[in-house]
């Protein structure tokens, strides 16, 4: 620390209420990830802090959907290669419906695809010498990022950022648990991309363990490859494996009473649900939707999110859904279907299709009876907080786990995507969730609990960020376990000693016994 930074540091320690200068490194990629970091940015801006967003553009189509309150946004235009790769991504949507996302080869393929986007754009970012110099001169108090793309950690290291915190858009990330030394407990904690709940059969436990391994690889591989580039371009020494665990706090998008219990650390701070708008005034629904909801007593909302598009699902699945809709003429179905030119349900007057839905607003409306969803975490949080019964049909990534997480509370049923070819199963499940009172009661009870939690997620976020910005790195929260080797961690040295002593004692005992027996025999012999 030189003299100036020492003074700045002392000044910060004494002035707790200062607006802090905060850098948020947020890739423009993936709606759910952008939404989480944007909410963090807006929450901190609202709390009076000076937030700068550093935003390498990967998915240009997200630009108009990602406005933030802060005026300081630094964009890095997408690399040509990234533009070309992204233009082909729409073809990917169809395959999401059919591939087994938990298969190791699928996870490896996904990892390599992501390296293609993130790594290429990261290279471009690292070559922006002027902007990086400018960022260094800003002397930020704190930096924030999400460890999906690891480019940020190379930049933080290069800029010698004083302190940083990490935000997870998922409930957990296996590669982050791994690098923090957080016990993963695969016998009862479903991995990030697992489709099981906490009560697994022997086969499921084995598969969960394998998924943990490959789930960790999916992201660790991206971050490792980016570090290799950073070593060459920026000349930094330390990789994300050393930088990330130094984060003062890891904010995870999970709510303890909603999630499966699992071993955790004090520096992992749950702020789940903080992206959901629950303020009724901001949730006024517009006339068009109001009229539709008034037609029938029961309204079912169907949306599979933005990655796997309904228009790209196998024809067989579409047919099943349409058959189910037509078998329930007393129910209105509102289906997020992304092809505005084709009205796939033109023969059915109880079906409304739209390429976009005001989902948060519709879920908050008491006339919507059931939500059929892919189980993206944002949707699950909205569902849980609004108390709606649901059918979850997970497609990929963390959706399988999210579905099981919500099902455990009794307000949701789970189908697998392949079940969409089974008309009877889909109709019966929907019928159950629509008519059995237990779904509604359990969903309401969960919502009541979640809306009355002892802590407020946004407040928790702001207070912890201010604490980190004020006091810098918090090495006292860094568990020593992650520095231990396997022998120390699993007591192998001590077990070895105990085992050797036991074996020695046993050996001596046996020798002694033999000796005594042989003496006995020889004295007997003498007596005779
Ligand atoms: C916030 O930070 C930006 C970038 O460093 C700076 O230009 C601006 O003046 C700051 N605003 C306030 C209110 O301090």
């Amino acid at each position: 620390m030189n003299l100036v930074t020492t003074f700045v540091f002392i000044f910060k320690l004494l002035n707790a209420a200062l607006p802090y200068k905060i850098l948020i490194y947020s890739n423009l990629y993936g709606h759910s990830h952008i939404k989480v970091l944007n909410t963090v940015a807006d929450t901190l801006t609202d709390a009076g802090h000076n937030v700068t967003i550093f935003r390498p553009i990967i998915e240009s189509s997200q630009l108009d959907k990602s406005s933030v309150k802060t005026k300081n946004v630094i964009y890095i235009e997408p690399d040509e290669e990234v533009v070309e790769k992204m233009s082909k991504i729409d073809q990917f949507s169809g395959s999401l419906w059919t591939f087994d996302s938990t298969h190791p080869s699928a996870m490896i393929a996904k990892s390599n695809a992501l390296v293609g986007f993130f790594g290429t754009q990261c290279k471009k970012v690292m070559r922006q010498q002027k902007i990086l110099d400018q960022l260094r001169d800003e002397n930020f108090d704190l930096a924030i990022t999400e460890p999906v793309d690891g480019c940020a950690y190379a930049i933080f290291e290069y800029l010698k950022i004083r302190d940083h915190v990490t935000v997870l858009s998922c409930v957990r990330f296996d590669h982050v648990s791994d690098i923090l030394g957080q016990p993963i407990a695969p016998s009862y904690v479903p991995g990030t991309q697992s489709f099981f709940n906490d009560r697994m059969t022997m086969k499921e436990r084995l598969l969960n363990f394998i998924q943990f391994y490959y789930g960790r690889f999916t992201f660790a591989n991206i971050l490792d490859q980016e570090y290799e580039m950073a070593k060459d371009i920026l000349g930094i020494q330390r990789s994300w494996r050393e930088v990330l665990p130094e984060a003062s706090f890891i904010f995870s998008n999970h709510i303890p009473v909603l999630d499966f219990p699992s071993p955790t650390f004090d520096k992992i701070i749950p702020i789940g649900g903080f992206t959901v708008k629950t303020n009724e005034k901001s949730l006024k629904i517009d006339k068009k939707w109001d009229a539709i909801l008034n037609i029938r007593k029961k309204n079912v909302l169907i949306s599979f999110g933005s990655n796997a598009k309904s228009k790209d699902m196998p024809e067989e699945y579409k047919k099943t859904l349409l058959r189910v809709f037509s078998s329930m003429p007393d129910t209105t179905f509102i289906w997020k279907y992304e092809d505005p030119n084709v009205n796939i349900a033109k023969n059915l007057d109880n079906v409304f299709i739209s390429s976009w839905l005001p989902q948060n607003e519709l879920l908050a409306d008491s006339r919507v009876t059931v939500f059929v969803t892919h189980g993206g975490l944002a949707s699950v949080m909205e569902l849980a907080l609004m108390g709606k019964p649901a059918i979850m049909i997970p497609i990929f990534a963390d959706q399988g786990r999210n579905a099981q997480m919500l099902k455990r509370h009794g307000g949701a049923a789970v189908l697998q995507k392949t079940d969409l070819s089974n008309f009877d199963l889909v109709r019966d499940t929907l019928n159950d969730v629509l008519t059995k009172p237990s779904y509604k009661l359990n969903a309401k009870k969960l919502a009541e609990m979640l809306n009355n939690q002892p802590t407020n997620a946004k407040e928790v976020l702001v207070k912890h960020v201010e604490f980190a910005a004020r006091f810098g790195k918090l090495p006292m929260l860094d568990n020593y376990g992650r520095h231990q080797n396997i022998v120390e961690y699993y007591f192998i040295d001590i077990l070895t000693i105990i085992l050797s002593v036991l074996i020695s004692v046993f050996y001596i005992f046996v020798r002694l016994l033999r000796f005594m027996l042989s003496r006995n025999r020889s004295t007997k012999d003498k007596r005779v």
Side-chain angles (χ1 to χ4, degrees):
M1 244 187 233
N2 65 28
L3 209 58
V4 177
T5 53
T6 309
F7 274 126
V8 170
F9 185 65
I10 291 172
F11 190 62
K12 292 266 144 80
L13 279 178
L14 299 177
N15 291 273
L18 260 184
Y20 290 110
K21 279 185 76 166
I22 298 168
L23 173 69
I24 299 186
Y25 187 111
S26 167
N27 246 344
L28 201 72
Y29 179 83
H31 179 68
S32 53
H33 303 279
I34 301 168
K35 184 173 172 179
V36 163
L37 283 184
N38 280 1
T39 310
V40 168
D42 285 349
T43 308
L44 295 173
T45 306
D46 286 341
H49 299 295
N50 190 348
V51 176
T52 300
I53 298 187
F54 186 75
R55 177 151 281 172
I57 300 172
I58 291 177
E59 201 178 348
S60 306
S61 59
Q62 295 287 346
L63 262 178
D64 49 348
K65 294 180 228 159
S66 60
S67 67
V68 279
K69 293 180 178 175
T70 177
K71 289 195 181 63
N72 315 321
V73 185
I74 302 167
Y75 292 102
I76 306 290
E77 290 301 317
D79 187 272
E80 273 166 34
E81 210 180 303
V82 172
V83 175
E84 196 195 310
K85 282 183 179 144
M86 287 308 294
S87 68
K88 293 185 190 139
I89 197 127
D90 236 19
Q91 301 161 356
F92 203 54
S93 161
S95 69
L96 288 178
W97 286 100
T98 47
F99 83 135
D100 174 5
S101 67
T102 61
H103 196 280
S105 66
M107 290 186 173
I108 290 173
K110 183 180 171 196
S111 172
N112 289 334
L114 287 171
V115 171
F117 307 136
F118 295 164
T120 310
Q121 186 65 3
C122 184
K123 245 189 246 164
K124 177 163 179 178
V125 166
M126 291 190 289
R127 295 203 169 109
Q128 310 293 315
Q129 198 53 52
K130 238 179 86 186
I131 296 177
L132 294 185
D133 285 346
Q134 180 196 331
L135 284 178
R136 188 192 303 226
D137 293 342
E138 295 278 0
N139 262 319
F140 289 104
D141 296 309
L142 183 80
I144 303 179
T145 194
E146 187 191 27
V148 168
D149 171 10
C151 200
Y153 292 102
I155 303 293
F156 294 172
E157 187 66 1
Y158 176 72
L159 298 178
K160 298 194 169 61
I161 290 279
R162 192 176 141 249
D163 187 24
H164 59 92
V165 299
T166 287
V167 178
L168 312 183
S169 65
C170 288
V171 165
R172 59 188 295 133
F173 271 128
D174 300 332
H175 66 300
V176 176
S177 299
D178 182 51
I179 212 69
L180 289 179
Q182 180 189 12
I184 56 170
S187 56
Y188 63 95
V189 179
T192 312
Q193 306 192 51
S194 172
F195 274 56
F196 309 125
N197 63 18
D198 53 350
R199 290 158 198 220
M200 290 172 257
T201 62
M202 197 168 116
K203 184 182 165 200
E204 287 170 349
R205 275 186 289 130
L206 175 65
L207 289 176
N208 189 46
F209 183 76
I210 294 171
Q211 280 160 22
F212 253 119
Y213 185 83
Y214 284 98
R216 182 189 68 170
F217 172 85
T218 310
F219 293 103
N221 177 38
I222 304 168
L223 277 71
D224 282 339
Q225 294 207 29
E226 286 174 327
Y227 166 62
E228 288 303 320
M229 298 173 193
K231 255 192 330 197
D232 292 342
I233 301 174
L234 298 176
I236 58 166
Q237 300 298 321
R238 300 190 320 149
S239 98
W240 69 281
R241 291 174 181 272
E242 289 156 86
V243 181
L244 194 159
E246 286 180 354
S248 293
F249 297 111
I250 315 284
F251 297 100
S252 64
N253 197 358
H254 94 279
I255 304 178
V257 291
L258 178 62
D259 191 19
F260 300 104
S262 63
T264 185
F265 287 138
D266 297 314
K267 69 150 65 180
I268 300 176
I269 311 292
I271 54 166
F274 77 117
T275 51
V276 182
K277 286 184 278 176
T278 43
N279 177 357
E280 307 228 334
K281 265 187 228 127
S282 67
L283 291 172
K284 204 84 193 94
I285 200 144
D286 70 28
K287 271 196 191 135
K288 175 186 157 192
W289 296 105
D290 186 62
I292 292 175
L293 292 179
N294 274 337
I295 302 174
R296 292 178 187 80
K297 273 226 172 68
K298 288 178 183 165
N299 294 285
V300 174
L301 206 64
I302 300 121
S303 166
F304 294 101
S306 48
N307 291 304
K309 302 197 167 46
S310 291
K311 73 175 168 73
D312 297 325
M313 73 166 68
E315 289 304 317
E316 196 189 359
Y317 294 0
K318 292 182 192 173
K319 276 200 194 115
T320 305
L321 286 176
L322 290 170
R323 259 183 85 192
V324 171
F325 300 164
S326 78
S327 76
M328 299 182 176
D330 299 336
T331 305
T332 298
F333 292 90
I334 301 172
W335 186 9
K336 179 173 177 285
Y337 192 91
E338 301 82 359
D339 193 344
N341 305 317
V342 182
N343 186 355
I344 183 171
K346 59 175 175 294
N347 305 325
L348 300 171
D349 65 357
N350 64 332
V351 180
F352 294 87
I353 66 164
S354 171
S355 49
W356 185 82
L357 300 177
Q359 186 176 303
N360 206 166
E361 285 76 1
L362 283 167
L363 285 179
D365 196 294
S366 60
R367 290 167 293 181
V368 171
T369 339
V370 167
F371 185 28
V372 178
T373 168
H374 64 308
L377 191 56
S379 297
V380 169
M381 290 289 179
E382 285 174 14
L383 255 176
L385 282 153
M386 313 257 177
K388 285 272 169 310
I391 298 179
M392 325 276 295
I393 308 177
I395 313 287
F396 77 116
D398 60 339
Q399 295 160 8
R401 188 189 198 278
N402 300 339
Q404 296 295 345
M405 175 175 86
L406 193 65
K407 184 187 170 187
R408 202 168 64 109
H409 297 273
V414 176
L415 291 175
Q416 297 311 327
K417 57 188 174 189
T418 45
D419 293 337
L420 280 171
S421 57
N422 185 340
F423 167 74
D424 290 323
L425 181 62
V426 176
R427 186 204 46 203
D428 294 347
T429 309
L430 183 57
N431 210 15
D432 272 0
V433 178
L434 272 167
T435 52
K436 283 196 182 149
S438 64
Y439 283 103
K440 199 171 171 183
L441 282 173
N442 288 329
K444 281 267 170 297
K445 190 175 138 203
L446 177 65
E448 194 65 21
M449 198 150 70
L450 297 185
N451 285 303
N452 288 285
Q453 291 179 81
T455 52
N456 172 300
K458 282 191 176 171
E459 215 174 275
V460 168
L461 170 71
V462 171
K463 288 200 168 149
H464 283 82
V465 163
E466 286 173 351
F467 190 88
R470 185 175 174 196
F471 294 107
K473 292 200 173 94
L474 304 171
M476 61 295 267
L477 291 182
D478 187 7
N479 68 295
Y480 188 67
R482 74 181 182 89
H483 301 291
Q484 288 173 320
N485 58 37
I486 289 182
V487 171
E488 288 170 324
Y489 188 88
Y490 288 108
F491 286 82
I492 293 173
D493 45 359
I494 293 171
L495 289 175
T496 310
I497 292 172
I498 292 176
L499 206 66
S500 342
V501 169
L502 284 178
I503 291 173
S504 308
V505 167
F506 183 73
Y507 179 75
I508 291 170
F509 178 77
V510 168
R511 291 299 297 254
L512 218 62
L513 206 68
R514 269 201 194 153
F515 177 71
M516 306 236 304
L517 282 176
S518 69
R519 257 192 58 170
N520 228 343
R521 210 171 296 136
S522 62
T523 49
K524 259 188 207 161
D525 287 351
K526 269 181 197 161
R527 261 192 238 136
V528 167

